[in-house]
Amino acid sequence: MAQKYLITSALPYVNGELHLGHLVGCWLPSDVYARFCRAMGRDVLYVCGADEHGTPAIVGAARENIPVKEYNDKYYEKHLRAVSDFNLSFDLYGRTHTDLQEKLVHDLFTRLDEQGLIEERETVQPFSIDDNMFLTDRQLIGTCPKCGYDKARGDQCDKCGSIYEATELLNPKSTVSGSSNIENRPTKNLFFLASNVENAWKEWLSEHAPKWSKTASSIAKAWANEGLRDTSITRDLSWGISVNKPGYENKVFYVWFDAPWGYVSISQAANKDWATWWKNPDCFYAQFMGKDNVKFHSVYFPEQELAMNDNWKTVDMLKSMNFLNFAGGKFSKSEGRGIFLDKAINIAPSDCWRYTLMASAPETDDTDFTIERFADIVNKDLNGILGNFVSRVCKLSAKNFGYTVPRAGDIDSYVIEQLNEKLNDLTDALDKCEFRDAIFALRSLWAIGNEYMTIKEPWALVKDGKMVEAEHVLNTCFQLIDFYARVSAPFIPDTAEKMQNIFATKYDLSWPKQFEARIKSGTEFIIPDNLFERIDDDKVKELVEKYSSVNKQPKIIVVKVIDVKKHPNREDLHIVTIDDGNTTQDIVCGASNVHKDMLTAFAPVGAILPKTGKAIKERLVSGVESKGMLCSGAELNLSDDDINIYEITDKKPGQVLK
């Protein structure tokens, strides 16, 4: 019986269009892995879906002035379109606002309650007097109590990553109305007693975390050092999974109490035998997500599964991706930064995006996406190496031997050895979900075919009348086309199918254990259209102009320092609040001469420093995110002082510094 493999991809909120960051962050890695596992003959259940609950849906619906259900339906359809456009092979792309999800969450809550792991507590929560409602996490925005970031959410700071209670947020405002007329009022909520399962969770983590990606493991271990806190699992909201407990009819479950169980309810909808994966200790479970979701999947979800004591399958391999950056900052729905999927599919076919994004996958660090690099990879790897090889083989063979595969001869042993060595590298990398290594091995396999043709020169053999030798070389090349289709299919499935369709006789795309010659001599073939099209310089220029327009290269400007605070984690650094004449923001600065009311030079994300010629990137400095930097005279090429920030006396905030 085939080994069971359960594969889940993080559930994106239905609160807007999805972008390339979503694609590379969880959808593509999970799809490549799922396709590889299926090709290996494994019994795969692969699910994902839209997370319909929490305040993002409520806030989004209010912004568009439509009911939440209608809002969710609208963006769920957009998700389904993106799933189809980018050839994602989910067994089901479901959603969380379903009867199955409600029944599942109710049953799970009842089990936890019966085990004494649920407790009612009176808490103090922010209440908007003008909105006449309690405000939940994303209905609040204010200043982070840890790092001073002034756009922090009610439960979490996107700058420093800190998690806190909503009542700890400084200078809170309602995202519903913008009102700051907020007071803290008592309300009753239900808490999951996570502290009761802390020892079991830590034991589980010590066994599982070493097998995860480095980023995921380090985030989870930081939580272990901090210790588990009992978690409020109910919210004063009108939208979500209802709470099945008397007295809580006007509340819903917290989105992160219900959302991970969406994997299960979607599995239930996808396959009647869902329990053979979810209740099977021998099943291998792989999760894929961006690094901002790791805490919920390494802590919240498994601690609940363990607390159930009901044989739920916990994650074996947690693969997290870092952020994909564009023009210096991460791809962002809220900021409109980046290329969104509905636009990307009109720029190039899905396989171009699938391959190039995996080639630049942000596995260990945040990665910069550029249109120039995208075009370069398409032109060199896809068109130049793979596409060119297939085209040359088919055209040269048809011209000299007709439209049937030439006769076979012995294949050089050194070619087979090279192919099998790189195949082993590719298989190992995919098994470990090391995608950039996998792309390197795949590209190396394609290069072997090109090098083989260059060495053997079948065109020269034909010219010299050595037709039998030329036939043998071209037969080997046709075997490589079939082999390349098989090993490329997890990454570029449309192209793999086109390569298989070259032959009149159809073969499967199962994963090869070693190179094998499957195409029989005399098999009819066709000359395919070009597998890929080059992206020329004019097209690159057009795309850069169009999609970088929201991020036109910023200029270095004059700002006024309006506040200087100590960095929460480093004595040698400051958190400096600056004013550019329109907005204020916080910047990390290490210069000792910084002081309130001084005028200085600020280089925002994307601005080019005169000294280095490099663009400023968004950085995390000792746990505090800094979107730009204050410049020294040396960095501006205005003095030799590279220690102090440059002080300005004759300009106003907002002016461009020339």
Side-chain angles (χ1 to χ4, degrees):
M1 182 180 293
Q3 163 101 38
K4 295 276 189 180
Y5 275 69
L6 175 63
I7 303 170
T8 60
S9 179
L11 312 179
Y13 283 125
V14 284
N15 67 329
E17 295 282 359
L18 300 174
H19 50 61
L20 296 180
H22 293 108
L23 194 60
V24 74
C26 53
W27 275 6
L28 265 186
S30 60
D31 186 69
V32 169
Y33 183 65
R35 287 177 178 276
F36 165 71
C37 286
R38 292 190 189 109
M40 290 281 286
R42 298 165 179 172
D43 192 0
V44 171
L45 178 60
Y46 172 39
V47 297
C48 187
D51 183 354
E52 300 186 78
H53 299 140
T55 50
I58 298 172
V59 171
R63 185 174 57 246
E64 297 191 17
N65 196 29
I66 57 177
V68 178
K69 181 66 167 65
E70 183 181 334
Y71 176 86
N72 284 3
D73 288 345
K74 172 183 175 180
Y75 284 101
Y76 179 63
E77 289 302 317
K78 291 177 181 289
H79 284 207
L80 290 177
R81 184 189 63 206
V83 167
S84 173
D85 284 346
F86 290 91
N87 214 345
L88 302 167
S89 62
F90 302 118
D91 289 302
L92 177 64
Y93 189 83
R95 54 200 305 181
T96 58
H97 197 71
T98 64
D99 292 340
L100 279 174
Q101 176 77 352
E102 184 171 65
K103 181 181 185 305
L104 175 65
V105 172
H106 284 177
D107 290 348
L108 296 170
F109 170 76
T110 298
R111 184 175 180 87
L112 290 174
D113 199 14
E114 289 173 349
Q115 293 180 182
L117 291 171
I118 302 296
E119 182 176 282
E120 182 181 82
R121 295 179 184 177
E122 184 173 276
T123 61
V124 175
Q125 296 291 325
F127 184 88
S128 172
I129 296 172
D130 293 338
D131 298 316
N132 193 31
M133 61 186 290
F134 283 100
L135 299 176
T136 55
D137 309 325
R138 288 187 181 237
Q139 290 172 316
L140 276 170
I141 190 170
T143 302
C144 172
K146 308 290 185 180
C147 74
Y149 176 50
D150 64 357
K151 292 183 178 64
R153 289 185 276 146
D155 63 338
Q156 179 184 353
C157 177
D158 287 335
K159 261 198 171 184
C160 67
S162 296
I163 292 177
Y164 39 76
E165 296 298 328
T167 51
E168 297 179 71
L169 191 69
L170 305 176
N171 308 314
K173 289 183 180 180
S174 164
T175 60
V176 178
S177 63
S179 172
S180 57
N181 191 12
I182 294 170
E183 65 181 26
N184 293 324
R185 291 186 181 181
T187 184
K188 289 184 178 179
N189 276 300
L190 299 174
F191 278 70
F192 168 57
L193 303 183
S195 56
N196 287 19
V197 297
E198 181 171 353
N199 290 336
W201 174 77
K202 283 185 173 180
E203 183 178 338
W204 171 86
L205 186 70
S206 65
E207 178 185 345
H208 286 74
K211 306 169 190 174
W212 301 347
S213 64
K214 185 178 179 180
T215 298
S217 180
S218 62
I219 291 173
K221 287 176 180 177
W223 273 74
N225 294 334
E226 190 174 305
L228 298 186
R229 292 193 289 179
D230 298 338
T231 309
S232 173
I233 60 170
T234 54
R235 293 291 188 270
D236 291 278
L237 285 174
S238 58
W239 176 259
I241 298 293
S242 62
V243 180
N244 51 319
K245 189 174 181 69
Y248 283 81
E249 291 81 5
N250 294 325
K251 296 178 188 281
V252 298
F253 283 112
Y254 173 44
V255 63
W256 278 109
F257 179 74
D258 102 79
W261 294 98
Y263 299 133
V264 180
S265 69
I266 294 169
S267 297
Q268 291 172 334
N271 194 305
K272 63 182 177 60
D273 296 323
W274 63 272
T276 61
W277 284 273
W278 280 103
K279 292 298 188 76
N280 179 359
D282 295 325
C283 172
F284 185 83
Y285 182 14
Q287 294 177 349
F288 295 82
M289 70 207 63
K291 65 180 179 181
D292 51 341
N293 276 332
V294 168
K295 53 184 169 292
F296 301 109
H297 290 79
S298 64
V299 183
Y300 282 32
F301 191 27
E303 74 185 9
Q304 292 169 22
E305 290 183 291
L306 294 169
M308 299 289 175
N309 195 27
D310 194 28
N311 197 38
W312 285 105
K313 179 62 192 172
T314 58
V315 62
D316 294 296
M317 195 274 293
L318 197 159
K319 178 71 175 182
S320 68
M321 290 287 186
N322 287 31
F323 292 137
L324 188 69
N325 291 333
F326 185 66
K330 70 179 180 180
F331 274 72
S332 171
K333 278 195 286 191
S334 60
E335 296 179 23
R337 180 187 287 117
I339 300 176
F340 289 74
L341 299 188
D342 60 331
K343 302 295 190 296
I345 198 64
N346 294 321
I347 295 172
S350 62
D351 279 359
C352 293
W353 294 108
R354 290 175 63 101
Y355 180 85
T356 55
L357 288 172
M358 287 291 89
S360 306
E363 292 183 284
T364 54
D365 298 290
D366 292 353
T367 300
D368 290 323
F369 171 85
T370 67
I371 291 168
E372 293 89 345
R373 175 166 167 74
F374 168 72
D376 190 56
I377 293 174
V378 170
N379 292 341
K380 288 182 178 178
D381 289 12
L382 296 177
N383 186 67
I385 301 179
L386 179 62
N388 189 44
F389 175 78
V390 171
S391 179
R392 290 167 71 200
V393 170
C394 292
K395 289 178 179 178
L396 185 61
S397 188
K399 179 181 178 181
N400 294 286
F401 301 102
Y403 288 87
T404 58
V405 174
R407 289 174 292 176
D410 293 332
I411 301 176
D412 293 305
S413 59
Y414 78 90
V415 174
I416 295 174
E417 288 173 6
Q418 285 182 315
L419 291 170
N420 287 335
E421 179 184 347
K422 290 303 176 184
L423 173 63
N424 288 336
D425 291 345
L426 176 57
T427 304
D428 185 60
L430 283 173
D431 243 339
K432 294 176 179 176
C433 293
E434 300 293 345
F435 296 106
R436 286 166 76 160
D437 287 349
I439 286 286
F440 180 80
L442 180 61
R443 185 193 301 115
S444 298
L445 283 169
W446 297 344
I448 291 170
N450 279 273
E451 184 179 359
Y452 175 74
M453 278 196 81
T454 299
I455 293 172
K456 293 296 185 179
E457 296 184 313
W459 53 88
L461 293 174
V462 169
K463 184 178 180 180
D464 293 341
K466 300 178 179 178
M467 305 304 285
V468 174
E469 291 181 46
E471 281 193 272
H472 292 171
V473 170
L474 289 169
N475 181 281
T476 297
C477 291
F478 276 114
Q479 306 303 336
L480 287 174
I481 291 175
D482 171 59
F483 179 68
Y484 290 163
R486 298 169 75 182
V487 296
S488 304
F491 296 94
I492 45 175
D494 284 341
T495 305
E497 188 174 340
K498 290 177 183 177
M499 292 164 71
Q500 282 287 359
N501 288 340
I502 288 171
F503 304 106
T505 303
K506 295 296 182 288
Y507 290 88
D508 61 43
L509 290 169
S510 59
W511 195 259
K513 293 182 179 178
Q514 59 183 13
F515 171 76
E516 56 182 325
R518 301 193 304 178
I519 307 300
K520 298 187 184 310
S521 302
T523 298
E524 293 182 0
F525 72 89
I526 61 170
I527 298 175
D529 294 333
N530 291 337
L531 297 183
F532 301 96
E533 297 293 335
R534 279 186 55 82
I535 303 175
D536 61 30
D537 292 343
D538 288 341
K539 184 66 174 178
V540 170
K541 184 178 179 180
E542 174 192 332
L543 293 173
V544 169
E545 187 72 23
K546 182 175 182 179
Y547 289 100
S548 296
S549 61
V550 293
N551 293 296
K552 292 287 187 185
Q553 192 174 92
K555 305 296 184 183
I556 297 174
I557 60 172
V558 177
V559 294
K560 182 177 182 179
V561 175
I562 59 174
D563 196 17
V564 179
K565 297 176 183 176
K566 290 183 177 179
H567 191 288
N569 304 321
R570 290 260 302 270
E571 292 184 0
D572 59 327
L573 297 176
H574 311 289
I575 305 296
V576 180
T577 304
I578 59 173
D579 183 352
D580 65 7
N582 293 311
T583 60
T584 63
Q585 66 170 301
D586 291 339
I587 298 295
V588 178
C589 177
S592 60
N593 73 317
V594 64
H595 61 84
K596 188 176 179 181
D597 294 330
M598 77 181 296
L599 292 175
T600 186
F602 170 62
V605 168
I608 303 293
L609 279 181
K611 182 177 181 179
T612 63
K614 294 181 179 179
I616 297 295
K617 297 180 181 180
E618 191 173 313
R619 295 187 304 155
L620 195 67
V621 185
S622 293
V624 178
E625 206 164 37
S626 190
K627 296 184 178 181
M629 64 178 286
L630 301 181
C631 305
S632 69
E635 288 163 333
L636 298 169
N637 282 341
L638 294 174
S639 75
D640 295 328
D641 186 353
D642 60 1
I643 297 176
N644 297 305
I645 61 171
Y646 188 69
E647 190 154 7
I648 298 169
T649 58
D650 59 346
K651 296 188 182 298
K652 295 180 180 180
Q655 285 186 279
V656 174
L657 189 68
K658 297 182 180 179

